[in-house]
Amino acid sequence: MNLDEPVLQHVSMVLLPIKLQLQALAEIHELLALVYYDGLQNVVPIYDQRSVVPSKDSAWMMFCQNSMRHFQKAFAHKEDWSHAFYLGKLSEKLGYSHETSFSFYAKAIALNPSAADSFYRMHASRLKLLCTCRKQDEEALKVVAAYCFNQSTQDTVMDILSKVCSSISESTCSEELTPNTYSVNDGKGDSHVEGVWQMLYNDCLSALEICVEGDLKHFHKARYMLAQGLYRRGGNMDLQKAKDELSFCFKSSRSPFTINMWEIDSMVKKGRYAFPFFSLCPVI
């Protein structure tokens, strides 16, 4: 009896132990998801990468959705940190809520606390949200605060936001206050909320600094994002600090000008902590 290839594959899967079957299914869905994801980035590898932005048309959307579906299936069979990481990135591409993408990044970090990619993506995305939302956008600030790098910052921010919200609620319910009183209270509330925005912004920068320490010094994406953050903050010496972060990518003891582009292994570890480091492979 001649069995065609699909039947043979089915028989071989049946004969495998359950654990190996789940592992095999996870690998199959992961490969399919990566194929679709690679299609999203099908652009010529040049330095000015932003000049060739893929069109977000129906085909692009289909690739995103297919990649998302296969990563979800892969994660259901095997909870790998990279699956959660890509689910977070795809959630951002598909315009899902920030809470959704941040929660996936948090899962990736929990599964592999020392992986640089998910840690960087979490705090870079938090910083981007702060740069695009209004400083008085309490809902956005709460989402950013829920995934703080520094626990003490999170506690302080949540405490301030809860007090501001309760104050506004009490003012709204009171019939004795005049419209002028409302505006005064709102102004004070806005001042507190803007202070929260600044604390969260600094928290994001502190997290990004971790991403360029030790063997991650050539993690150019994190260094570029950190430089952008410092430049936008505009504090004393921030412009010089931003220049220093970027100039590192073009410094060399053997040449007056060079482009330090390094390929960072996906398993390279975050700096500062006592994790073993993987070697970095130079591209240029």
Side-chain angles (χ1 to χ4, degrees):
M1 178 179 178
N2 293 324
L3 298 176
D4 57 18
E5 187 175 349
V7 175
L8 285 172
Q9 291 177 346
H10 175 72
V11 171
S12 62
M13 288 291 290
V14 170
L15 294 177
L16 285 173
I18 297 297
K19 186 175 181 180
L20 292 179
Q21 286 186 42
L22 295 177
Q23 183 178 344
L25 286 171
E27 291 175 357
I28 290 170
H29 285 297
E30 179 181 347
L31 288 172
L32 288 171
L34 288 172
V35 168
Y36 282 114
Y37 193 87
D38 286 343
L40 298 174
Q41 307 179 110
N42 187 21
V43 292
V44 181
I46 56 178
Y47 289 117
D48 190 13
Q49 198 77 28
R50 291 180 180 271
S51 66
V52 187
V53 180
S55 176
K56 296 184 178 181
D57 52 16
S58 58
W60 182 91
M61 184 66 70
M62 181 193 70
F63 272 62
C64 280
Q65 292 170 342
N66 288 341
S67 183
M68 184 95 176
R69 185 172 67 254
H70 284 295
F71 271 124
Q72 287 173 332
K73 291 181 179 179
F75 190 72
H77 292 301
K78 179 186 177 183
E79 291 192 351
D80 188 272
W81 74 270
S82 63
H83 300 160
F85 169 67
Y86 279 109
L87 285 170
K89 294 184 72 173
L90 287 162
S91 296
E92 288 194 77
K93 292 180 185 295
L94 288 168
Y96 292 175
S97 69
H98 295 288
E99 172 64 34
T100 300
S101 56
F102 290 172
S103 65
F104 279 125
Y105 294 142
K107 287 179 182 177
I109 293 171
L111 290 168
N112 188 356
S114 59
D117 283 337
S118 48
F119 183 85
Y120 160 73
R121 189 70 261 161
M122 165 72 89
H123 298 293
S125 296
R126 290 175 66 234
L127 184 63
K128 285 182 179 180
L129 177 54
L130 288 174
C131 291
T132 54
C133 75
R134 294 182 303 106
K135 291 186 178 181
Q136 296 82 19
D137 189 338
E138 292 176 21
E139 291 305 313
L141 295 180
K142 286 180 181 178
V143 174
V144 175
Y147 299 94
C148 271
F149 167 60
N150 191 310
Q151 184 63 47
S152 63
T153 299
Q154 184 182 52
D155 295 339
T156 302
V157 165
M158 289 303 194
D159 182 56
I160 293 173
L161 288 176
S162 64
K163 289 179 180 177
V164 169
C165 290
S166 62
S167 175
I168 292 174
S169 178
E170 290 173 6
S171 298
T172 304
C173 294
S174 176
E175 296 179 356
E176 298 178 358
L177 297 176
T178 65
N180 290 333
T181 309
Y182 287 136
S183 64
V184 170
N185 285 338
D186 290 345
K188 290 180 179 178
D190 287 346
S191 176
H192 286 303
V193 174
E194 286 190 20
V196 164
W197 184 93
Q198 193 63 56
M199 281 189 281
L200 292 174
Y201 195 93
N202 293 338
D203 179 80
C204 292
L205 294 185
S206 296
L208 290 175
E209 287 174 352
I210 299 294
C211 296
V212 294
E213 290 185 345
D215 281 4
L216 287 171
K217 62 184 179 182
H218 291 295
F219 195 177
H220 59 277
K221 288 194 298 183
R223 195 172 289 278
Y224 174 71
M225 182 60 70
L226 177 58
Q228 272 194 321
L230 290 167
Y231 175 75
R232 287 176 174 172
R233 186 170 66 179
N236 185 32
M237 297 299 293
D238 275 346
L239 179 58
Q240 185 58 48
K241 290 177 182 177
K243 288 181 179 178
D244 291 341
E245 292 296 338
L246 287 180
S247 66
F248 180 87
C249 299
F250 305 98
K251 287 180 178 178
S252 172
S253 59
R254 294 173 294 179
S255 173
F257 177 79
T258 186
I259 299 177
N260 292 319
M261 294 284 288
W262 293 66
E263 181 181 355
I264 308 294
D265 188 287
S266 62
M267 293 298 290
V268 74
K269 311 297 182 179
K270 297 199 301 288
R272 184 175 293 182
Y273 304 108
F275 294 115
F277 288 92
F278 285 71
S279 60
L280 303 176
C281 305
V283 173
I284 293 180

